[in-house]
Amino acid sequence: MALRREVLLLLALALLVSCGAAATDILYRVPEEQPPNTLIGSLAADQGLPDTGHLYKLEVGFPFLRVDGKTGDIYTTDIPIDREMLRDCRNLFDGDKCFLEFEVSITDMVKGLGLGPRLIEGRIEVLDINDNTPQFSSPILTLSIPENTHIGALFSIPVATDKDSGTNGVAEYSLNTGPDADQLFSLQVAVDIDEKLPQLVVMGNLDREKKDSYDLNIRVVDGGKPPRVSSALLRVTVTDQNDNAPKFERSHYEAELPENSPPGHSVLQVRANDADTGINGEIEYSLPQASETVHRLLRIDRSTGILYVKGQVDREEDSFLKFFVVARDRGPNSKSSKVVVTINVRDQNDNKPAIEIRGIGLVTHQDGVANISEDMPIGTPVALVQVSDLDEGENAVVTCVVAGDVPFQLRPAGESGNDRKRKYFLQTTTLLDYERVKDYRIEIVAVDSGNPALSSTNSLKVQVTDMNDNTPIFSPTMLEVDFPEGNQAGDKVLEVVATDADSGTNAELAYSIVELAAQRLFEINSNSGEVRVKNLLDREDTERYEFRVAAADKGVPSKTGTATVVINVLDRNDNDPKFMLSGYSFSVNENMAPLNPVGVVTVTDADKGENARVKLYVEPDNGKFVIQNGTGTILSSISFDREKESMYTFRLKAVDAGDPPRSSYVGVTINVLDENDNAPYVTKPANSSYKYLAPVTTVDTRVEVVEAEDMDSGPNAELHYSITGGNPYNLFQISSTTGEIKLAEELTPKHHGLHRLVVKVNDKGKPARHTTALVHIFVNATLGNVTLIESLVGHSLYTPLDRDIAGDPNYAHAQRSNILYGSLAGVAGVILVIVAVVVIRHRLQKDTKSGYQAGKKESKDLYAPKQGPKNGKGKKSKKGKAPKPAKPLEEDEEASLQKGLKFNLINDTVNDSPRIHLPLNYPPGSPDLGRHYRSNSPLPSIQLQPQSPSASKKHQAVQDLPATNTFVGTGDNNSTGSDQYSDYSYKANPPKYSSSSSSSKQVGDYAHTAMYNRDIMWTNRVW
């Protein structure tokens, strides 16, 4: 490298080109912060440049400027020009101008490139506008003033700063003292080097013991239109006496600092003196109002006032520093003063010249290569070379040459007085011959004038092109290749090759992909034709890509040939099997037979071939479920019983046949749907229990609640309650939903006794299932003889359900029997009277004839009843052998028995009872209810014979008994019932009377009634 640099320096000296130039004339002015598309100036109109047939192109000035290609009009862009933010305008002194440089090339489109473009350079002076408000360093400013300070003393107030300049900068200060300090303070503004310095003037005597502080308001206004204003609180603290403030030896300090000075290098020393003695005369130095840049680069010794280098000093970034140094004494009421310090950074030759080579006009560069046709005339520019040096003075004076024996030279591109930045056209010096030299490597050397000198090089490849008359050709015109998916970005897919019959640059091909969509996935090396993939290919996304590639030669004009590329993406096992759902839930009916389908799952694999062949497994494999591969059908190996297990969960594993295989899982839930396979069951009340109900119970009183459950669910477990038997008087009603039984009608004496309600509880399944419950309700005024009630309830359990048990079965019978007996007694009385009269007359006649026969009893036969009662219609009863009548009870015996039993016969109207449609066919071996209750009933059987002279009296006596412990019993065998129910009567003993069937179904017809000694009589109707 050292040898190469020496050679380049020798070439530079041999081919030295002067870089002097005159100042430019083009200057525009524009205020900052202008909106987009604001016209700054027109090169064609303002400078007398052509406005037709030429192409204007902005070379320098982007992004703040744009140029109209036809007219040369210069406009602002969307990026505003902010004077305070431009790099070259940040550290300007007040009054310095801010410039934005621009360059525009003009190409004659009529005469072609042979004459070369013309480069126009100019500057735009950016005028300041009042877009910044002056600001104090702090919203609260403090100032300490000793008491007894003489009137007229001045104290410096911290200045305000404004980023704007000129008239838009700080214009004036004002002070608002308030009523308490109006006679004590005033404001004076001094001017020092075009800077306004506010000072507080003491106008009265200050006494710290009277008031030790004053709050004033200081206001600053800039000179803009309209002006901007801000203010700060100035807090004046009255301190003890400190007579003298420090005073600097100079009014302004200035020094020069070489750039790249090391940290710790001393720059200068500021000195201030204080006439006071002791601590009041000791001085400290500080940089309270210095900028961030000053604090970054410098530091000051607080005792000596020496400024030292703190950071890296680079003149190219900060060419000067201007700031205040404050000297403050250490007295209890310290006083201070400040002085301006200016430091100019002296340049060191620490920057090499920079060479920038770029296209000019219509000549563009790509990858450091410029193409020029062999038929171009001498002096055709192929590039714009800009040489610059960040240093200044002699260090920035640059000499630039073209090294080597090449037919190119540098020509100044324009007149410029800037020695630090110069521009040249790189143009041809002779005609180019493609057949002799096809391309040139041009190396440009730049050397500055520093000591020691610094140099740099840059190069450009110029390709000479011949006339282009052949189109590149691909062979074959369709290229097809297989490429596996799962690739890495940048993998090579294929290489396309095209040929061109031309030579030189006309045969140099640049490959590209035609379709924009394909460019996002593939890239092609423009030189080699090597096609590489930019992204990961996924066969499952796209299995085949087809696009065109183009080969364009570098001729002018260029010619292009195309070919079709087909890429078949080969599959890799890069996809897990995927179930269609993230989880499956199936519902099955319980009691379903094993090996029936439960559900079907669908699994897919985005891969292809063996990689997509999937097998399914059940996990855990407990034998309850199996799955069919191919169909995805889940089969059950068990029969389901929802009441035992209502839900099954397991996982399905899907494994593909790839290498290595990939798998995935999915959760499956089997919900067992309920079937109505369970009948309801009653939990309350028990069939053998009973509920006591007083006769005075009011209507709508809650009597009992039937509670039932169903092991099924849903509608199969929704229960409906109804009374299907034992309620012939509609005394009770039940809630169909809650099972609550209430009293629906008022109770009367005929309702006294045991009521057996047959309650049907059915669910809402299809078909519905039901169960039957017995609800026993004992209606009586008191509840005394529990044993009797329990025996009645026990008897009820063996009574067919189609027989109503509802109160006293003999109440109506007794009433009708009394009427019948009365009628019969009346008839008998009449007959007896007639018979007596006849007998007496006969006796009288006989006595007359034969006389009285002693010892002969006639009364028994006289009063014996007939063998069968006649029905209401007068039909004859069937002849049958009548049983012997039971021995009649004596009247006192009947009374004592009734008194011991203490029960009343309750009226029962047979015709009021509905019939219960339940089968009463009992299988062989069923217990004989008559014997059961004959052996278990503690009550004796009461038999009232129709001819008994005490029958009516007995009934009257029973009904006169008190209500306590009353119950229904059978007093005789004269109970009547409808003969349509006689088939369901028990016939344990032969009937006492035999009655003929009557089509009119008279209530007075006798039913076949079972009769037992010491037993209770039941009928198929109401008991």
Side-chain angles (χ1 to χ4, degrees), residues 493-504:
V493 180
L494 79 159
E495 185 173 341
V496 297
V497 177
T499 58
D500 195 314
D502 293 324
S503 60

PDB file of all heavy atoms in Angstrom, residues 493-504:
ATOM      1  N   VAL A 493     -31.351 -22.304  -6.647  1.00  0.00           N
ATOM      2  CA  VAL A 493     -32.398 -23.102  -7.265  1.00  0.00           C
ATOM      3  C   VAL A 493     -31.924 -23.622  -8.619  1.00  0.00           C
ATOM      4  O   VAL A 493     -31.967 -24.822  -8.882  1.00  0.00           O
ATOM      5  CB  VAL A 493     -33.693 -22.273  -7.421  1.00  0.00           C
ATOM      6  CG1 VAL A 493     -34.798 -23.113  -8.072  1.00  0.00           C
ATOM      7  CG2 VAL A 493     -34.166 -21.761  -6.064  1.00  0.00           C
ATOM      8  N   LEU A 494     -31.475 -22.746  -9.449  1.00  0.00           N
ATOM      9  CA  LEU A 494     -30.947 -23.120 -10.760  1.00  0.00           C
ATOM     10  C   LEU A 494     -30.176 -21.934 -11.308  1.00  0.00           C
ATOM     11  O   LEU A 494     -30.142 -20.843 -10.709  1.00  0.00           O
ATOM     12  CB  LEU A 494     -32.071 -23.522 -11.707  1.00  0.00           C
ATOM     13  CG  LEU A 494     -32.900 -22.404 -12.372  1.00  0.00           C
ATOM     14  CD1 LEU A 494     -33.580 -22.938 -13.617  1.00  0.00           C
ATOM     15  CD2 LEU A 494     -33.922 -21.828 -11.405  1.00  0.00           C
ATOM     16  N   GLU A 495     -29.562 -22.156 -12.431  1.00  0.00           N
ATOM     17  CA  GLU A 495     -28.825 -21.086 -13.101  1.00  0.00           C
ATOM     18  C   GLU A 495     -29.291 -21.025 -14.552  1.00  0.00           C
ATOM     19  O   GLU A 495     -29.310 -22.036 -15.254  1.00  0.00           O
ATOM     20  CB  GLU A 495     -27.313 -21.343 -13.045  1.00  0.00           C
ATOM     21  CG  GLU A 495     -26.490 -20.217 -13.626  1.00  0.00           C
ATOM     22  CD  GLU A 495     -24.998 -20.428 -13.393  1.00  0.00           C
ATOM     23  OE1 GLU A 495     -24.638 -21.218 -12.497  1.00  0.00           O
ATOM     24  OE2 GLU A 495     -24.188 -19.819 -14.114  1.00  0.00           O
ATOM     25  N   VAL A 496     -29.705 -19.842 -14.943  1.00  0.00           N
ATOM     26  CA  VAL A 496     -30.159 -19.654 -16.317  1.00  0.00           C
ATOM     27  C   VAL A 496     -29.023 -19.012 -17.119  1.00  0.00           C
ATOM     28  O   VAL A 496     -28.236 -18.217 -16.587  1.00  0.00           O
ATOM     29  CB  VAL A 496     -31.431 -18.782 -16.361  1.00  0.00           C
ATOM     30  CG1 VAL A 496     -32.575 -19.464 -15.640  1.00  0.00           C
ATOM     31  CG2 VAL A 496     -31.182 -17.410 -15.753  1.00  0.00           C
ATOM     32  N   VAL A 497     -28.949 -19.399 -18.384  1.00  0.00           N
ATOM     33  CA  VAL A 497     -27.879 -18.893 -19.256  1.00  0.00           C
ATOM     34  C   VAL A 497     -28.511 -18.446 -20.557  1.00  0.00           C
ATOM     35  O   VAL A 497     -29.310 -19.165 -21.160  1.00  0.00           O
ATOM     36  CB  VAL A 497     -26.814 -19.965 -19.506  1.00  0.00           C
ATOM     37  CG1 VAL A 497     -25.747 -19.432 -20.468  1.00  0.00           C
ATOM     38  CG2 VAL A 497     -26.193 -20.420 -18.193  1.00  0.00           C
ATOM     39  N   ALA A 498     -28.165 -17.253 -20.970  1.00  0.00           N
ATOM     40  CA  ALA A 498     -28.592 -16.727 -22.264  1.00  0.00           C
ATOM     41  C   ALA A 498     -27.347 -16.284 -23.040  1.00  0.00           C
ATOM     42  O   ALA A 498     -26.310 -15.972 -22.450  1.00  0.00           O
ATOM     43  CB  ALA A 498     -29.558 -15.569 -22.080  1.00  0.00           C
ATOM     44  N   THR A 499     -27.469 -16.277 -24.328  1.00  0.00           N
ATOM     45  CA  THR A 499     -26.358 -15.845 -25.184  1.00  0.00           C
ATOM     46  C   THR A 499     -26.820 -14.702 -26.062  1.00  0.00           C
ATOM     47  O   THR A 499     -28.010 -14.554 -26.348  1.00  0.00           O
ATOM     48  CB  THR A 499     -25.872 -17.002 -26.055  1.00  0.00           C
ATOM     49  OG1 THR A 499     -26.968 -17.489 -26.851  1.00  0.00           O
ATOM     50  CG2 THR A 499     -25.327 -18.143 -25.193  1.00  0.00           C
ATOM     51  N   ASP A 500     -25.838 -13.884 -26.442  1.00  0.00           N
ATOM     52  CA  ASP A 500     -26.123 -12.718 -27.285  1.00  0.00           C
ATOM     53  C   ASP A 500     -25.099 -12.713 -28.413  1.00  0.00           C
ATOM     54  O   ASP A 500     -23.888 -12.808 -28.170  1.00  0.00           O
ATOM     55  CB  ASP A 500     -26.029 -11.433 -26.471  1.00  0.00           C
ATOM     56  CG  ASP A 500     -26.653 -10.250 -27.197  1.00  0.00           C
ATOM     57  OD1 ASP A 500     -26.374 -10.075 -28.396  1.00  0.00           O
ATOM     58  OD2 ASP A 500     -27.419  -9.512 -26.543  1.00  0.00           O
ATOM     59  N   ALA A 501     -25.586 -12.613 -29.626  1.00  0.00           N
ATOM     60  CA  ALA A 501     -24.687 -12.625 -30.787  1.00  0.00           C
ATOM     61  C   ALA A 501     -23.834 -11.368 -30.884  1.00  0.00           C
ATOM     62  O   ALA A 501     -22.838 -11.341 -31.628  1.00  0.00           O
ATOM     63  CB  ALA A 501     -25.495 -12.809 -32.070  1.00  0.00           C
ATOM     64  N   ASP A 502     -24.201 -10.335 -30.122  1.00  0.00           N
ATOM     65  CA  ASP A 502     -23.376  -9.143 -30.135  1.00  0.00           C
ATOM     66  C   ASP A 502     -22.098  -9.390 -29.350  1.00  0.00           C
ATOM     67  O   ASP A 502     -21.889 -10.462 -28.775  1.00  0.00           O
ATOM     68  CB  ASP A 502     -24.152  -7.965 -29.531  1.00  0.00           C
ATOM     69  CG  ASP A 502     -25.319  -7.552 -30.401  1.00  0.00           C
ATOM     70  OD1 ASP A 502     -25.183  -7.613 -31.632  1.00  0.00           O
ATOM     71  OD2 ASP A 502     -26.380  -7.184 -29.828  1.00  0.00           O
ATOM     72  N   SER A 503     -21.281  -8.402 -29.329  1.00  0.00           N
ATOM     73  CA  SER A 503     -20.018  -8.506 -28.607  1.00  0.00           C
ATOM     74  C   SER A 503     -19.904  -7.348 -27.626  1.00  0.00           C
ATOM     75  O   SER A 503     -20.647  -6.369 -27.688  1.00  0.00           O
ATOM     76  CB  SER A 503     -18.842  -8.486 -29.597  1.00  0.00           C
ATOM     77  OG  SER A 503     -18.850  -7.275 -30.343  1.00  0.00           O
ATOM     78  N   GLY A 504     -18.960  -7.518 -26.729  1.00  0.00           N
ATOM     79  CA  GLY A 504     -18.731  -6.467 -25.751  1.00  0.00           C
ATOM     80  C   GLY A 504     -19.923  -6.291 -24.842  1.00  0.00           C
ATOM     81  O   GLY A 504     -20.576  -7.236 -24.406  1.00  0.00           O
TER      82      GLY A 504
END
